[in-house]
Amino acid sequence: MIVIFLFAGALLFACSMIFMKRGTNKIIWITVGLILSIGSVVLITLNYNTYLGMKTVSKTQTFPLTSSIRGKHVLLYQQIGTKDERIYYYATNPLQQKLYKTNPTTDKIKLTHKSNISQLKITRTYRVYRNEEMRLLFSNGVPNHQFVNQHYEFKLMPGWQVQKLNSSPKS
């Protein structure tokens, strides 16, 4: 919708500059077209850079954490690069064959070793439009329900080990 306002403002500005005779009406229509065009460009830029009209929404899920290796209490990770960038391999069901893994580029990870039960808490953050008017106005720029980041919190009972993995497991 904001693009339609931009197009209408540019068309109004151009047509009033070219086709109208000199006078007060011409100045008023040129000003309206210019304000509409510049205002639309400013709103598009603000929406693109600062997510104008959007709010962040978080959704948290908690899962029981089971060992990555059967018969042991182990959480596996694979070192990526030289810093704290790691891929963690985890399971939430003891019967599952496939291990899930974290993404070091978008996920934030926290390990806690003193917990009563072993569990995994996943918090996903999204950007959504504040209301239907904002969605209607800016729907061509930034999509609704846009993923921002994901936060993993591994709560491990005493006795669990965090072990480095040399080769890639089944995932």
Side-chain angles (χ1 to χ4, degrees):
M1 183 69 109
I2 193 76
V3 175
I4 294 171
F5 288 148
L6 175 62
F7 181 72
L11 190 64
L12 184 64
F13 175 75
C15 288
S16 60
M17 282 290 286
I18 296 169
F19 298 118
M20 290 185 77
K21 294 181 182 179
R22 287 186 180 193
T24 310
N25 284 341
K26 181 176 182 174
I27 294 172
I28 291 172
W29 285 109
I30 288 172
T31 306
V32 168
L34 197 59
I35 289 172
L36 197 57
S37 297
I38 292 173
S40 298
V41 169
V42 167
L43 287 176
I44 289 171
T45 304
L46 284 174
N47 182 41
Y48 185 74
N49 290 332
T50 63
Y51 302 100
L52 178 71
M54 299 189 92
K55 62 181 177 180
T56 56
V57 175
S58 296
K59 179 182 176 186
T60 302
Q61 293 177 309
T62 304
F63 301 100
L65 186 64
T66 60
S67 179
S68 302
I69 300 174
R70 291 184 187 211
K72 297 180 180 179
H73 295 295
V74 174
L75 179 65
L76 295 175
Y77 73 91
Q78 186 174 17
Q79 189 71 37
I80 305 291
T82 57
K83 295 187 178 181
D84 292 335
E85 298 170 342
R86 294 179 175 178
I87 297 175
Y88 286 89
Y89 295 95
Y90 64 93
T92 57
N93 185 348
L95 302 176
Q96 80 184 45
Q97 298 291 325
K98 179 180 165 185
L99 293 175
Y100 297 116
K101 63 182 180 178
T102 61
N103 184 351
T105 57
T106 59
D107 301 341
K108 297 175 186 169
I109 298 162
K110 179 182 176 185
L111 289 172
T112 306
H113 286 283
K114 296 179 181 178
S115 177
N116 296 340
I117 56 172
S118 296
Q119 67 180 9
L120 170 63
K121 187 169 133 184
I122 302 174
T123 305
R124 291 181 178 94
T125 306
Y126 299 95
R127 284 193 186 96
V128 295
Y129 286 107
R130 293 186 189 276
N131 51 35
E132 189 64 24
E133 290 80 19
M134 290 295 174
R135 189 197 63 77
L136 183 64
L137 190 63
F138 295 115
S139 63
N140 63 334
V142 178
N144 196 17
H145 210 71
Q146 181 186 23
F147 177 74
V148 177
N149 65 15
Q150 192 163 265
H151 181 79
Y152 287 90
E153 185 176 353
F154 292 98
K155 293 182 179 180
L156 305 175
M157 290 184 354
W160 274 67
Q161 297 176 349
V162 180
Q163 185 176 356
K164 187 174 181 176
L165 178 70
N166 294 330
S167 63
S168 180
K170 296 178 188 178
S171 57

